[in-house]
Amino acid sequence: MQYVTILGSTGTIGQQTLDVIAQHPERYGVFALAAHSRVDLMLQQCAQYRPRFAVMQDAEAARQLKQCLAAEQLPVEVLSGVDGLSEVAAHEDVSIVMAAVVGAAGLLPALAAARAGKKILLANKETLVMAGQLFMDAVTQGQATLLPIDSEHNAIFQAMPRQSYQALADVGVNQIILTASGGPFRGYTQTQLQEVTPALALKHPNWVMGAKITIDSSTLMNKGLEVIEARWLFDARPDQIEVVVHPQSVIHSMVSYVDGSILAQLGNPDMRTPIAYGLGYPDRIASGVKPLSLIDVAKLEFEAPDTQRFPCLRLAYEALAAAGTAPAILNAANEVAVAAFLQEKIHYLDIPCLIERTLQSLPVETVSSIEQLLAVDQQARQFVEHALAAQAVSPLRKVASV
């Protein structure tokens, strides 16, 4: 029996992870569940899966959960905050950690799991975007096993050679090709994009995801963050990572080899497939996903991304090229801008404007520590919040329409 800690259990990835685990009760047990503040759902999950620990990032939510668990006579110990997340990620009884906490809050628990030598199923983009080299060093030093859960990186992982390498050329890899659905606004004009509302942006054509990642998918920032992730996961140069829009979301990503071969991983757009791959690795286990029918799909389309209408992808490449703390600045600015858009405080096209202004205004430093990255993260967030408070967004709208 392997015991699993699920960081972000009440989110989409967390719930799908529990679904896969439930299909293999003889193989996996739930050690700990962790979430931000959804007490009702966490209570339901504790009643069903009987973890040893439940962690709430929010202290008041933790207090409420403790009361509810006592009332239901459920013997689950409640922890709170980032310290609680890190404790259940590194616990000696845990074999597998699903790192699916959204945002920068997932960084420290993922690092704790890496240092403790766990099998890490990484679904938190910010860990590698903010602290790529530091995190990969921790994985190596802790002798952890790192398995990417993003469907794109999981596809690349499956198509890559298994032997170790110093450079992609050493194993005959020419290029990594990340596929993107293009989001719900792929065919929109600039004028139409100016009228996009949160309700529209939350309707992804293919995937069922959380609100933040769904907005990122629509702006192509999600793909930009994945480019940065791919640089660290596969030790690839920025020029070795290509993004191709593939509206059907059937090919999840590809690896191009020097002999002209391209290996791809295909499947229905369901995150339970990469989750099951990660849980079972190196074995394959059932995921509950319906097998792909190529006859039903009928056709596969590809096109180049439009970085003029969707500048977030360009900004991510620029942050990766700038290196240092630039990706952390990009990520923090995006998180605050997306939150403001979801709260209808800004327009859709203001998102890349705020990010670009932040990148242009804050200094880029060489990364030296996690503490430095967390400080930079806060600095970038405060910069965007001050820009919002000063109503400095509208004059920047022209940046997104260049």
Side-chain angles (χ1 to χ4, degrees):
M1 177 73 72
Q2 298 181 73
Y3 285 95
V4 185
T5 283
I6 303 176
L7 306 176
S9 68
T10 61
T12 303
I13 296 296
Q15 292 181 61
Q16 291 174 320
T17 302
L18 287 169
D19 180 77
V20 176
I21 286 174
Q23 297 175 52
H24 304 275
E26 76 294 342
R27 187 163 184 159
Y28 305 107
V30 176
F31 177 82
L33 299 174
H36 185 265
S37 57
R38 297 177 67 180
V39 173
D40 290 346
L41 182 52
M42 177 60 83
L43 182 63
Q44 292 174 25
Q45 291 179 344
C46 287
Q48 182 174 356
Y49 296 100
R50 302 299 175 105
R52 192 186 307 180
F53 292 95
V55 187
M56 305 301 288
Q57 289 174 249
D58 181 78
E60 175 57 24
R63 187 191 66 79
Q64 293 177 20
L65 178 64
K66 192 170 184 177
Q67 290 180 339
C68 293
L69 288 168
E72 297 289 334
Q73 296 185 318
L74 291 171
V76 180
E77 185 174 345
V78 179
L79 304 175
S80 66
V82 174
D83 288 345
L85 294 173
S86 297
E87 180 177 338
V88 297
H91 198 284
E92 62 180 2
D93 292 339
V94 173
S95 300
I96 302 171
V97 176
M98 167 57 78
V101 170
V102 175
L107 174 57
L108 292 178
L111 273 169
R115 290 165 177 159
K118 304 304 181 183
K119 179 179 176 181
I120 304 167
L121 313 188
L122 188 64
N124 170 282
K125 296 180 186 301
E126 293 75 15
T127 295
L128 283 172
V129 171
M130 289 180 64
Q133 188 65 65
L134 291 176
F135 182 70
M136 296 306 292
D137 288 347
V139 168
T140 300
Q141 292 162 9
Q143 297 183 314
T145 300
L146 179 61
L147 295 162
I149 298 303
D150 268 352
S151 61
E152 295 82 0
H153 300 105
N154 188 269
I156 294 163
F157 185 87
Q158 294 189 49
M160 285 285 287
R162 283 292 166 261
Q163 64 265 43
S164 60
Y165 57 86
Q166 295 297 317
L168 289 179
D170 296 342
V171 286
V173 173
N174 181 51
Q175 196 171 43
I176 286 169
I177 304 170
L178 288 166
T179 55
S181 69
F185 310 127
R186 182 170 59 92
Y188 274 40
T189 65
Q190 196 71 22
T191 300
Q192 289 175 309
L193 288 173
Q194 292 174 357
E195 305 303 321
V196 166
T197 64
L200 280 174
L202 288 171
K203 294 178 181 178
H204 195 280
N206 299 331
W207 293 95
V208 176
M209 305 177 290
K212 194 266 182 183
I213 193 173
T214 303
I215 301 302
D216 283 349
S217 180
S218 76
T219 65
L220 292 193
M221 177 55 85
N222 189 50
K223 205 55 48 180
L225 297 177
E226 288 174 6
V227 167
I228 299 172
E229 282 186 281
R231 178 265 176 273
W232 295 110
L233 284 168
F234 307 109
D235 200 16
R237 301 189 311 267
D239 64 290
Q240 292 177 306
I241 308 168
E242 180 185 5
V243 173
V244 174
V245 174
H246 167 50
Q248 289 80 22
S249 295
V250 168
I251 293 178
H252 298 302
S253 277
M254 297 169 270
V255 176
S256 172
Y257 286 83
V258 293
D259 62 1
S261 300
I262 293 181
L263 300 187
Q265 186 264 337
L266 285 71
N268 282 315
D270 190 316
M271 286 303 298
R272 290 177 298 170
T273 296
I275 290 168
Y277 182 87
L279 282 170
Y281 183 84
D283 300 328
R284 299 261 182 179
I285 64 172
S287 65
V289 177
K290 180 182 177 182
L292 177 69
S293 168
L294 292 174
I295 293 173
D296 290 343
V297 173
K299 65 178 181 179
L300 302 175
E301 301 172 293
F302 306 93
E303 62 189 55
D306 186 335
T307 55
Q308 288 192 320
R309 284 184 300 134
F310 301 98
C312 284
L313 180 57
R314 168 180 60 81
L315 294 173
Y317 268 104
E318 290 176 359
L320 180 56
T325 55
I329 294 170
L330 171 94
N331 176 71
N334 179 64
E335 283 193 27
V336 178
V338 168
F341 170 67
L342 287 170
Q343 295 165 16
E344 300 186 353
K345 295 180 179 178
I346 62 173
H347 296 286
Y348 184 74
L349 293 182
D350 292 332
I351 295 173
C353 299
L354 281 166
I355 297 167
E356 184 151 31
R357 175 168 181 159
T358 309
L359 284 168
Q360 291 172 345
S361 301
L362 298 184
V364 175
E365 305 167 353
T366 301
V367 175
S368 59
S369 68
I370 292 298
E371 292 74 20
Q372 173 208 24
L373 287 171
L374 294 175
V376 167
D377 176 83
Q378 286 303 309
Q379 183 184 15
R381 291 172 189 276
Q382 290 169 4
F383 182 91
V384 179
E385 288 165 356
H386 290 159
L388 290 168
Q391 297 182 341
V393 179
S394 294
L396 294 172
R397 291 276 291 279
K398 64 179 184 293
V399 174
S401 60
V402 170

